[in-house]
């Protein structure tokens, strides 16, 4: 793969997980991605923070609901708490470009 400055990189595997409009994906395939209309937000915080200390990061905890799921689990041997929320976006279902929020335009 050649990057913008002209540097060449070689790898056995490339993971293009940079969203629906992936720049990396276009380097390998020439197809059109299809939106699932689901959006995922994730974040990691230090496990020592007061709110994170109240969570058991020794296990993965999953909450499942219609059109919305969440999971949290420990990372780095319990140093960090990772949280992921996934929801079906009404904006994405409606074909709107600003699909990253749950609220619909009024």
């Amino acid at each position: 793969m050649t990057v913008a400055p002209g540097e060449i990189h070689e790898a056995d595997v490339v993971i293009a997980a940079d969203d629906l409009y992936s720049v990396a994906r276009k380097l390998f395939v020439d197809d059109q991605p299809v939106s699932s209309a689901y959006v995922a937000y994730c974040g990691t915080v230090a496990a020592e923070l007061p709110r994170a200390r109240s969570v058991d990061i020794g296990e993965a905890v999953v909450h499942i609901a219609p059109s919305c799921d969440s999971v949290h689990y420990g990372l780095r041997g319990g140093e960090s708490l990772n949280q992921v929320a996934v929801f079906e976006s009404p904006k994405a279902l409606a074909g709107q470009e600003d699909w990253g929020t749950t609220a619909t335009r009024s």
Side-chain angles (χ1 to χ4, degrees):
M1 169 173 53
T2 304
V3 294
E7 299 172 6
I8 297 174
H9 298 270
E10 293 185 24
D12 292 333
V13 175
V14 175
I15 299 174
D18 53 339
D19 84 11
L20 184 64
Y21 304 104
S22 170
V23 174
R25 178 189 177 94
K26 293 176 188 173
L27 297 171
F28 299 98
V29 294
D30 186 27
D31 64 356
Q32 294 299 315
V34 177
S35 172
S36 66
Y38 280 83
V39 176
Y41 285 109
C42 59
T44 304
V45 297
E48 64 193 28
L49 293 174
R51 289 188 132 183
R53 282 197 307 252
S54 66
V55 176
D56 179 6
I57 60 174
E59 296 185 14
V61 177
V62 180
H63 299 276
I64 300 174
S67 303
C68 183
D69 305 318
S70 69
V71 61
H72 68 260
Y73 48 90
L75 292 176
R76 298 185 184 117
E79 292 180 13
S80 301
L81 171 66
N82 195 51
Q83 306 157 91
V84 181
V86 179
F87 63 90
E88 185 176 41
S89 170
K91 289 182 177 182
L93 288 171
Q96 296 177 4
E97 287 295 320
D98 180 23
W99 43 261
T101 61
T102 57
T104 56
R105 290 187 180 144
S106 38

